[in-house]
Amino acid sequence: MERKNPARAIVPTAGDNCAVAVADLAPGDPVLTGDVTVTAAGHVFEGHRLAIVPVRKGAALTSWGLPFGIALRDIAPGEPLANANVLEELRRHHPAGHVPAGPNFEDRIKPFRFDRTGFRPAPPLPPVEDPPVFMGYPRAGGRGTGTRNHVVLLGVSSLAASFAREAAARLGPLAAGFANVDGVVAVAHTEGAGNPAPHNREILLRCLARFMVHPNVGAVIAVDHGDEAVNNDSLRAHAAEAGLPLEAIPHAFLSLRDGWDAAAARAETLLRGLLPQADAHARATRPFAELRIALQCGGSDAFSGLSGNPVAARAAAYTVRCGGAANLAETDELIGAEPYILQTVRDPAAAAAFLDCIARYKAFAGRHGHTAEGNPSGGNRLRGLANIVLKSIGAAAKKHPDCRLEGVIPYGAALPAPGLFFMDSPGNDLESIAGQVASGCNLVLFVTGSGSITNFPFVPTLKIVTTTGRYRLLEHEMDFNAGALLDGTSMDVLEAALVDHIRRTASGERTKGEHAGHHQTQIWRDWPRGETEDEGRRTEVGDQPSVIPPPPSVIRHSPFTIRLPAFTALDFGGGRAAAGDAVGLIIPTSLCAGQVARIVAERLNREAASFGGAYTRFAALPHTEGCGFAGDELLRLLMRAYAGYATHPNARAALLLEHGCEKTHNAFVREAFTALGIDPARFGWAGIQRDGGMEACAEKVHQWFAARADTAPAPRPAGWNRLTLGLLADPAADTAALDLLACLAGEVLAHHGTVLLAEHCHALIQSVSKQAHRLESRPATEVARAAKAVPAVPAASDDGRKVEGEEEVEGEVIAYAEKPSNAGLHIMQTHSAHWVEALAGLGASGAHLIVGATGGHLRQGHPMVPVLLLGNTGPDPAAHADLTPAADPAEALARLAGLVNRTLSREYTPRTQKTGNTDFQLTRGPDGISM
């Protein structure tokens, strides 16, 4: 029998007792590790480690010369290494016979102790004798040099996010005639609303203000809602207090107070005036010293520390040698790598500041009941990063070993140049990048093992992939193949190639992400607990600081004689519930899949004619969770939400879209659905990385929906007993609007339907409670007009249940995104007063339609669930609302009932849906944090 050529495994540092498999190994395969050949003693998957020498029980396993685990038993050479977390992930993806039966090592992080007595300051790197130049945009006011010249629509808070996105998309073509303008982009995020005193207020203001004066911004329009915790007034004040040169950049402030249409017209006027000013700036020859490089990694694998990160480190060190600056971040992803980071540091103060960041993050996580050991995602573990130590040691390789750490800056603070600096931030890629951009970075080097497709709106992102196989799979998304290092290309050659790629990109050559038009922004999300252990979750989340009144345990109503209008539901067959819509729904399983899901849904809507009327429209639910977070309750919440939307009555067909390296990837979600008693085979499943990138994935999604577009759904009448109605109210909503919502709730309950109320809407809950108890004395003629000239169904419900006689309807409190088990009144926990988060929870709980009372301000709708807005306050309520309640309560209820009927029958499209003023965001629950 012919002997197999030895496979290769990489020993990161001489003296390590384990190696990294370059390819999948079968039992008995010979493996060459340096000069030594061992025999694989089991299945070893690509990127996973195997022992290369005997390891005794209790001994440390080492990589890069640092310990990452302790042997639970004696380990023989060639034996695959796995802890409990790796085994859990491998079992989701591989046959049982290929996965070890049990773990052979456990995680133990030995606390790092900094030896001040033995400290020796590291010297700076020698300068480059003839540094290169690039073509950049020199800026006045000390703003630095831009690598791009964008006009930015900056959503100051989450309440302005959808406006910023829609305005940028609609007005973007105006930039076509301006040769020096790289485009009009939106910065839309989830923060600054929903709580009067968010913990992240200062870092949010810091980031937003520094976005405005960023050198890649040629002009900016800051858009607020007007009544948020973070708005234009506070942004102006912060910029002035920080001494930022707002006067050096063409800018304007815009509010949505006067309604969507007025704001849209004003935005166009402002943009037409700002574009020529931005176009007046032209590229000029600039030294490499004016580059500010953000060093990032995401979707990391075992090769990140062996190829991608070291190559990026060489290019960053070269930039530092040219007089430029580089920025390392992601605090929790350097825990365990402290010895490497601090082996070359400027002075003890810099070392102490770095260790303080680590200690603060550990305390921050601890306050919320977490540890940093929970950082590695399922994708990380699947591709060989067994724990936070291995992930951190590999991530630290973005710092060249000879490039000293100059100092530490807070999240979003200005980079003092030149040199390499560390910025305190969470490990969540997009949140960390936002801080680096705020610090002044004008180009991002993003290293990825799995193939993360992250991009920032106005700063170019060069994506560096760690293996040639992944590069070939995702060549339309990846910019640079560092896997060539593993294939034999020298580090010097790759460094020169990457430096030249940086030069070309900084000079205007577009990245793969810029060609695709894919970008996202996420600023470090607010967190539930403050600096002290006993502060706990804030209670001031609603319109009153009082205790939430419980729902009536039993709501009694009188014999019912009024017939309210039927709505024209859609019948999908198969015994499914009545539907008010036939949506083709794309559910991204994580933050990094969100923008792609949105792009694909928009494309499908443009191709709607090809589906033969099977779908009324397509929708996506982009959100910020599933990747860099911690929180067991948040994980359960996400699975409830995904399941709630996948089985939503209005979803004709639902597909789950993974990025591929997140915690909540498709295999995890399938497992969760099965545990919930939901058959995963009912849904579509696609993966951006697994399916070969955005275009290939989009085609797969199209084909899946097309395969289910056999017939158009049949219309049929449905009574209000089939309706699940969500209700929501602004803190400033007036009593008349609250009472009208309460009357509507009473009618739904009287018809044996279901009403969902958001927990934080105390005044609304009280109005509904009072109205429910008034039902038995209310004249039956009060809402007679609601049925006039509208087809109605008999008093008997369409499932055969009688609604005559006195009945009892149970009320209960349900969790966020939980579907109630019975009809009646339910209060859904919300954990915040964030309007969009409440909409998202009500939708996941099964609401066919949501009605909200505004307080005279523009409010957002939902991408999938229709949202009707009532407006009765403010200078022009009609500019914000679908309905302005009539003075006569009976007439107001009749009009509202009729509008609900028309909306459920798809005869009326809510204003938010027509204008594109929709958004989606899931709450983080009581303990969720960024990680």
Side-chain angles (χ1 to χ4, degrees), residues 512-577:
K512 297 284 182 68
E514 288 176 306
H515 279 292
H518 167 265
H519 53 74
Q520 291 170 277
T521 307
Q522 182 56 41
I523 300 171
W524 194 342
R525 288 204 71 187
D526 196 16
W527 49 89
R529 299 181 185 272
E531 292 296 325
T532 58
E533 286 283 348
D534 59 353
E535 182 176 340
R537 185 169 70 92
R538 295 184 299 273
T539 57
E540 63 273 44
V541 297
D543 45 14
Q544 299 177 17
S546 59
V547 176
I548 298 168
S553 58
V554 176
I555 301 171
R556 308 181 72 85
H557 59 82
S558 61
F560 179 69
T561 58
I562 296 300
R563 296 186 303 165
L564 283 178
F567 65 93
T568 304
L570 295 175
D571 188 354
F572 301 147
R576 290 187 55 178

Side-chain angles (χ1 to χ4, degrees), residues 697-708:
C697 183
E699 179 59 27
K700 178 178 179 179
V701 172
H702 184 286
Q703 291 177 3
W704 187 86
F705 280 112
R708 282 144 190 83

Side-chain angles (χ1 to χ4, degrees), residues 64 295 302-317 340 393-401 445 447 464 466 482 485-486 491 494-495 498:
W64 288 283
L295 293 167
F303 302 107
S304 294
L306 297 171
S307 62
N309 287 337
V311 172
R314 285 282 291 262
Y340 176 83
I393 298 171
K398 294 191 295 293
K399 174 189 178 295
H400 190 278
L445 295 183
V447 179
I464 303 168
T466 63
L485 183 67
L486 305 177
M491 177 64 85
L494 288 173
E495 177 191 343
L498 182 54

Side-chain angles (χ1 to χ4, degrees), residues 722-739:
R722 293 296 196 183
L723 176 63
T724 298
L725 175 71
L727 297 180
L728 189 59
D730 259 352
D734 67 359
T735 302
L738 296 176
D739 286 346

